[in-house]
Amino acid sequence: MPKGTTKRRPRTRAALLDAALAVFAEHGFQAATIEQVCAAAGFTRGAFYSNFSSKEELFLALFDQHSKHILERLDAALGAVPAGELTLPRLVELISVVEPAERDWYLVTTEFTLHAIRDPQAAWVLARHDASLREALAQGLTACLARAGLALTVPAEEVARLLIALREGGLAQSYVEPEELPPGALERRFLAPLLAAVTEERAH
């Protein structure tokens, strides 16, 4: 493979991912076509198939990219909190941030989840990616709570599931009634007492 092609490949892949998110959010995952994604990115079908084998693989790449972004954002925000100043309210404040661009991702991932519920193979694959995200969240949460002098009294993976359920369920209501329930409002109100109920002071 020529060196120029090798250097262009990451840029081509990134452009296809950006285009896919916009196209999927506008038209829906099922209705959107590979041709629409290629047109939005300014590439041919050949460029698409050099990077992805299907729309499903494209979505899963978006899923991993979004997960990486969320985890890196949280890690940076938490890392900026001075030692000894991380408390449950501060942790909840950082977790509750919902970026404006999250709406497009919510539309895309919700539709793919419905697709996966109907398709056992898609469900199996999505579950593997969900599990990787939960594991990273569980590890990060355990480390953050340790910095706050706390330890979970229940499995961290179960708490990660609950955090995801609270976020996704809250956003479903927020995007329908944004004035009644701004994004992140449920986390800001209920997450601190919830975490307090499943944590204890760490033994020294």
Side-chain angles (χ1 to χ4, degrees), residues 105-158:
W105 173 246
Y106 186 83
L107 292 171
V108 175
T109 191
T110 299
E111 185 177 359
F112 190 88
T113 299
L114 294 175
H115 164 67
I117 291 172
R118 298 185 181 98
D119 184 325
Q121 177 61 28
W124 185 87
V125 175
L126 180 59
R128 305 285 77 74
H129 288 257
D130 281 337
S132 295
L133 174 58
R134 283 198 308 273
E135 181 180 0
L137 286 174
Q139 291 175 354
L141 178 62
T142 300
C144 289
L145 289 172
R147 285 183 57 198
L150 299 169
L152 287 167
T153 58
V154 296
E157 195 269 347
E158 292 183 6

Side-chain angles (χ1 to χ4, degrees), residues 2-48:
K3 289 185 178 180
T5 302
T6 302
K7 290 180 178 179
R8 286 195 303 270
R9 188 181 181 92
R11 293 196 295 270
T12 301
R13 183 181 176 87
L16 287 167
L17 287 169
D18 288 344
L21 179 59
V23 171
F24 289 168
E26 180 180 357
H27 300 286
F29 173 79
Q30 294 285 19
T33 65
I34 290 173
E35 287 78 9
Q36 287 174 317
V37 173
C38 291
F43 294 113
T44 63
R45 284 175 63 91
F48 177 90

